Amino acid sequence: VETVVPPTPSGEVYTLHEGERCGDSYTDNNVPALGYVSGFAYTVNADGKTCTITGIGEITETAIGIPTEIDGYTVTEIGKRAFGTDDKKQFKTISLPATINYISGNGPFAVCVVLTEIKVDSANEHYTAVDGVLYSKDMTELICYPAKKTDATYKIPEGVKKIGRSAFYFSEIQEVIFPSSLEEIGIFSLASCRKLGKIDISNTKVKTLNDYAFAYNNSLHEVKLPETLLEIKGAVFAECT
């Protein structure tokens, strides 16, 4: 980063400190899979009726459709790193059924490096997809922008308050236009976006930049910060050279 433009001093105190490492602040249980069917690993939830997708095996298809039911259990949750922990997966499309009511905040899509589109059943009451981008149903959180989506510029809709953890991770986006409604940028939210040249959040309500929020962006040369900003956590600009 060559230039960081802070807001006009307002008497508020800025805090810079080392933050928690990736994953430390999440409580998703990392338990062994109870079952493995048609390429999907899963665990049965506490109610004994539903299950969580915890992983995928050697699925070679370029499009993955999450089933509504596995072994008689309704599929309701997507667990942390459910779609892999390396960048070898080659699927380009993921389709989520109406039954999904929880997606882990711990990066299930983070290393889907060739993903171009996420689809969500229109009957789903908790999530939606707009032009291939995954949002909460009420459109207040952007959860995942597919890494290989081809837009050079993406405008986040007004009304979005949060960009989720690893939402743009590995994206080839060159510019993101942020809404004035934005209040939170999650861990790794815009990390490893190697074509992203500048970030302007000066018109937002963001108070905290979370750990590694803009890290590993090799092309980043300018950042404009909002007057509302109070805290910059650990390694926000790590390796932004």
Side-chain angles (χ1 to χ4, degrees):
V1 178
E2 296 175 359
T3 306
V4 176
V5 182
T8 302
S10 61
E12 299 285 2
V13 177
Y14 289 77
T15 304
L16 176 64
H17 63 82
E18 292 297 320
E20 295 179 326
R21 296 291 296 181
C22 179
D24 288 351
S25 60
Y26 289 85
T27 58
D28 298 34
N29 292 323
N30 186 16
V31 294
L34 178 67
Y36 190 84
V37 176
S38 301
F40 296 101
Y42 71 93
T43 56
V44 176
N45 298 330
D47 62 7
K49 300 177 181 179
T50 62
C51 69
T52 298
I53 298 292
T54 58
I56 58 173
E58 299 303 317
I59 294 177
T60 58
E61 292 84 356
T62 58
I64 292 179
I66 303 301
T68 59
E69 185 177 288
I70 294 179
D71 279 348
Y73 302 105
T74 302
V75 179
T76 58
E77 301 183 12
I78 304 295
K80 65 178 181 179
R81 298 171 188 159
F83 299 111
T85 57
D86 57 53
D87 58 3
K88 303 299 189 294
K89 307 300 182 184
Q90 295 302 307
F91 47 82
K92 298 180 179 180
T93 303
I94 296 175
S95 299
L96 304 178
T99 55
I100 297 296
N101 59 32
Y102 172 77
I103 297 174
S104 171
N106 202 349
F109 306 99
V111 291
C112 299
V113 294
V114 298
L115 188 65
T116 61
E117 182 181 20
I118 297 174
K119 300 179 180 180
V120 180
D121 190 303
S122 59
N124 191 295
E125 298 180 354
H126 302 274
Y127 300 98
T128 190
V130 179
D131 193 25
V133 180
L134 181 63
Y135 287 91
S136 59
K137 189 71 171 185
D138 62 5
M139 294 291 292
T140 60
E141 180 179 359
L142 191 162
I143 299 168
C144 180
Y145 180 95
K148 283 292 184 181
K149 189 170 168 58
T150 57
D151 302 321
T153 301
Y154 185 70
K155 183 177 182 179
I156 300 175
E158 195 64 42
V160 171
K161 296 181 179 181
K162 178 181 179 180
I163 301 176
R165 180 191 178 111
S166 304
F168 284 85
Y169 199 64
F170 277 127
S171 167
E172 296 188 358
I173 196 73
Q174 297 177 37
E175 180 183 14
V176 178
I177 300 173
F178 300 90
S180 61
S181 55
L182 187 64
E183 298 176 358
E184 182 178 352
I185 298 177
I187 298 172
F188 287 100
S189 281
L190 287 107
S192 295
C193 301
R194 297 197 169 106
K195 295 182 180 180
L196 189 62
K198 60 182 180 179
I199 295 173
D200 183 355
I201 55 172
S202 61
N203 192 42
T204 70
K205 300 178 178 68
V206 172
K207 294 182 179 180
T208 300
L209 291 179
N210 282 299
D211 301 338
Y212 299 91
F214 306 144
Y216 314 119
N217 291 329
N218 297 336
S219 299
L220 189 62
H221 61 270
E222 182 179 355
V223 177
K224 294 183 179 181
L225 304 175
E227 293 183 1
T228 53
L229 187 66
L230 300 176
E231 186 176 25
I232 298 176
K233 292 191 175 182
V236 167
F237 300 107
E239 298 188 30
C240 293
T241 56

